[in-house]
Amino acid sequence: MAENVTITVDALGGDDAPGVVLAGVEQALAADPDLTVVLCGPAEVVGPFADAHGRCEAQATTESIAMDEHPANAVRRKKDSSIVVGCRLVKEGRADGFFSAGSTGACLAAATLVMGRVKGVKRPALGQVLPAYGRPVLLLDVGANADCKADYLLQFAQMGAVYAREIMGVPAPRVGLLNIGEEDAKGSVFAQEANALLRAELPEFAGNAEGRDILAGSFDVVVTDGFTGNVCLKTIEGTSSVLFRYMKDALMASAKGKLGALLVKGDLAELKGRLSPDTHGGAPLLGVRGACVVGHGSSSAEAVKNGVLATARTVRSHVSEVIAAAVAEDGERA
Amino acid sequence: MAENVTITVDALGGDDAPGVVLAGVEQALAADPDLTVVLCGPAEVVGPFADAHGRCEAQATTESIAMDEHPANAVRRKKDSSIVVGCRLVKEGRADGFFSAGSTGACLAAATLVMGRVKGVKRPALGQVLPAYGRPVLLLDVGANADCKADYLLQFAQMGAVYAREIMGVPAPRVGLLNIGEEDAKGSVFAQEANALLRAELPEFAGNAEGRDILAGSFDVVVTDGFTGNVCLKTIEGTSSVLFRYMKDALMASAKGKLGALLVKGDLAELKGRLSPDTHGGAPLLGVRGACVVGHGSSSAEAVKNGVLATARTVRSHVSEVIAAAVAEDGERA
């Protein structure tokens, strides 16, 4: 039997909320018998759903944060929004983790401001697990911190290594620094500084990773600043999407291609699904007290299910506590 | 009849030099009857080839720069290397442009130090034309300047707009700034500063481009610093390569897939070729006096041919001169 875990879920998060959120929560509850969900959202949405489902509680909220609102301002102003309330219940100990497929910026701001940072962590970082060839890779920061210092990257690497061990099941993770050359001395002034710090302080450091190494399966964790990480993540999504479009066009252009396409359609759709962000259960925000996972805005019900289950797994693996210990240990050493 | 153009070619550039270089030069000479090539390399390589081919001159050199040498040091020390000599002949007016598939760093250093910068250009930038959906896109800087200031990016954008008009044939290019959000106020401090400058100074500025927009076909030029650009370029290459590997695995896993794969193999190979860097004739270095194009280290003979022809096209379109005029005009306005 797994540890009992309570997760708050933002019923209003995502392009197709609340429909897909409710469907995803239903699936998550069915998949995990030791999971309780506190559903945050309008009373008329969360009430009936909680009444109809075991291990689900309703937390009525009166406000919502739109995708295009200024994240920090919205979080400060809308105290009764589903995102802020979801985070507050974790802060108050009434839940262990929070999941939303809503505004990434608002979730980051709420988790950081309301749940608070793990002691010693300078900046929480948003990670994204990607389907690298042969083994998954955690890329971070993918957007929480557009401007970084080298010592933030050291902490991102420490937190990433904890996540790789506890959640991805890699006993001795290889952590790379995203850079524009393999040799330690390559790259921008910032990248060189980060390289030197990682080389000196991080036992798991495996050297620089170039852009082509992210998905090649040679690293378990790749760290970078939130600007480069976000550009990279969206470049991967964009490249994949354009390639599939090109492929469709190429196959539809000939009779032989069309026939072949009929035969390979299922395999390619399966592949596309496997590569999609939906499969990976959202992006963990590392370095906040309690678990926080943010789903893609276009999350399907399955993505919501996977996101909620990933949040529960993060709680059960005590990722926050292990990060606190790793960061404290490093602080003592320094 | 096209303008007579003389291009110096580094016979030692690339993983499979000199074989593929000679084959590529032969193809380029056949394709362009108004092209003369000055082949720089060891006498025993370039002499016999020049003797056997019309419009080809041999320039014997005694040194070579390896891929892993420190670029600027190697260029300063090895005055009789094929790369330095190739650039010097352009500087001396004995040739109009230089092509190499050798060390990108050494080519950048040699072109900048030996050929020199266009008057007013603060930093030459390396561009890469990519097969975006529906229309090509020029991404720059992809690695010449790891550390940039906002005013460099303005010049990259001006040079990119010139290249798009003169070489890519786009009369009114849309120039985007690579950033992590669409709104002007998004991104790092650096990106916000660059956005404000582009908004104020660049008539062709079409706003921020996110990572997923690079290949989506909505911009003709995307500018960024050389660190982010290089990471992006290699991320695109890596994503494409991993996707094709995944696809092969997926199709080989089932009998139906295998049969389908037989039918679509030709179309996919053709697509892979179309997306490959080989097809695009190398990366132009913009902002140096005279044309300089750098090919991929793994260039095939066809890639060398395309690279040499692209160098000739850059000369005939007077890209350097138009850039000089654009930059001077902006200097006056400022």
Side-chain angles (χ1 to χ4, degrees), chain A residues 180-191:
Chain A
I180 60 172
E182 283 176 22
E183 301 85 357
D184 280 353
K186 284 289 175 80
S188 60
V189 170
F190 173 74

Side-chain angles (χ1 to χ4, degrees), chain A residues 203-277:
Chain A
E204 297 89 348
F205 188 53
N208 290 337
E210 295 195 77
R212 69 168 70 89
D213 299 322
I214 300 173
L215 294 184
S218 33
F219 294 91
D220 303 292
V221 179
V222 173
V223 292
T224 187
D225 63 274
F227 183 87
T228 311
N230 188 275
V231 164
C232 252
L233 177 65
K234 289 179 178 162
T235 298
I236 291 171
E237 289 176 9
T239 304
S240 168
S241 146
V242 166
L243 269 179
F244 277 106
R245 278 162 76 183
Y246 268 126
M247 206 169 310
K248 199 174 161 191
D249 295 351
L251 299 185
M252 288 302 124
S254 74
K256 203 171 76 170
K258 274 184 199 162
L259 180 58
L262 272 178
L263 293 166
V264 303
K265 214 164 69 176
D267 290 320
L268 290 189
E270 193 272 334
L271 172 63
K272 208 171 164 180
R274 197 145 44 87
L275 300 181
S276 132

Side-chain angles (χ1 to χ4, degrees), chain A residues 25-324:
Chain A
V25 166
E26 185 165 57
Q27 292 175 24
L29 287 167
D32 184 341
D34 304 302
L35 169 71
T36 297
V37 167
V38 180
L39 201 56
C40 306
E44 67 276 19
V45 170
V46 300
F49 184 88
D51 289 343
H53 293 81
R55 290 178 283 117
C56 184
E57 300 164 19
Q59 175 74 42
T61 58
T62 55
E63 294 178 295
S64 71
I65 297 178
M67 295 300 267
D68 57 356
E69 284 189 71
H70 185 285
N73 291 350
V75 164
R76 284 200 197 88
R77 249 189 21 251
K78 296 187 167 173
K79 305 266 186 237
D80 201 40
S81 60
S82 49
I83 290 177
V84 173
V85 170
C87 290
R88 200 174 59 226
L89 296 181
V90 177
K91 166 75 176 176
E92 292 169 352
R94 289 163 58 199
D96 309 295
F98 170 65
F99 174 81
S100 171
S103 155
T104 304
C107 291
L108 297 183
T112 307
L113 295 172
V114 178
M115 287 163 60
R117 284 176 284 141
V118 166
K119 196 178 169 220
V121 167
K122 286 159 190 155
R123 293 286 187 285
L126 190 66
Q128 176 71 53
V129 177
L130 295 165
Y133 196 80
R135 59 170 164 188
V137 65
L138 175 71
L139 178 67
L140 84 166
D141 175 19
V142 297
N145 310 278
D147 290 289
C148 285
K149 296 178 182 171
D151 58 345
Y152 301 176
L153 260 62
L154 172 60
Q155 287 198 337
F156 297 171
Q158 291 166 332
M159 298 193 292
V162 168
Y163 192 87
R165 266 194 293 269
E166 305 298 328
I167 301 289
M168 295 159 70
V170 183
R174 286 172 53 82
V175 179
L177 169 70
L178 192 57
N179 202 340
I180 60 172
E182 283 176 22
E183 301 85 357
D184 280 353
K186 284 289 175 80
S188 60
V189 170
F190 173 74
Q192 290 177 38
E193 200 188 330
N195 179 290
L197 197 58
L198 289 165
R199 189 60 82 193
E201 301 284 338
L202 192 80
E204 297 89 348
F205 188 53
N208 290 337
E210 295 195 77
R212 69 168 70 89
D213 299 322
I214 300 173
L215 294 184
S218 33
F219 294 91
D220 303 292
V221 179
V222 173
V223 292
T224 187
D225 63 274
F227 183 87
T228 311
N230 188 275
V231 164
C232 252
L233 177 65
K234 289 179 178 162
T235 298
I236 291 171
E237 289 176 9
T239 304
S240 168
S241 146
V242 166
L243 269 179
F244 277 106
R245 278 162 76 183
Y246 268 126
M247 206 169 310
K248 199 174 161 191
D249 295 351
L251 299 185
M252 288 302 124
S254 74
K256 203 171 76 170
K258 274 184 199 162
L259 180 58
L262 272 178
L263 293 166
V264 303
K265 214 164 69 176
D267 290 320
L268 290 189
E270 193 272 334
L271 172 63
K272 208 171 164 180
R274 197 145 44 87
L275 300 181
S276 132
D278 278 16
T279 318
H280 296 273
L285 181 65
L286 300 177
V288 292
R289 290 186 207 226
C292 172
V293 173
V294 187
H296 215 268
S298 61
S299 286
S300 62
E302 201 205 342
V304 171
K305 174 189 110 178
N306 289 334
V308 173
L309 295 178
T311 315
R313 206 157 56 236
T314 307
V315 172
R316 291 195 181 109
S317 306
H318 306 285
V319 166
S320 275
E321 291 82 349
V322 183
I323 284 176

Side-chain angles (χ1 to χ4, degrees), chain B residues 98-185:
Chain B
F98 170 64
F99 173 82
S100 171
S103 155
T104 305
C107 292
L108 297 183
T112 308
L113 295 171
V114 178
M115 288 163 58
R117 284 175 285 141
V118 166
K119 195 176 168 220
V121 167
K122 286 161 190 153
R123 292 286 187 286
L126 191 66
Q128 176 71 53
V129 177
L130 296 165
Y133 196 79
R135 59 170 163 186
V137 65
L138 175 71
L139 179 66
L140 84 167
D141 175 19
V142 296
N145 310 278
D147 291 289
C148 284
K149 296 179 181 171
D151 57 346
Y152 301 175
L153 260 61
L154 172 59
Q155 286 199 337
F156 297 171
Q158 291 167 332
M159 297 193 292
V162 168
Y163 192 87
R165 266 193 293 268
E166 305 298 328
I167 302 289
M168 297 160 68
V170 183
R174 286 172 53 83
V175 179
L177 169 69
L178 192 56
N179 203 340
I180 59 172
E182 282 177 22
E183 301 84 357
D184 280 352

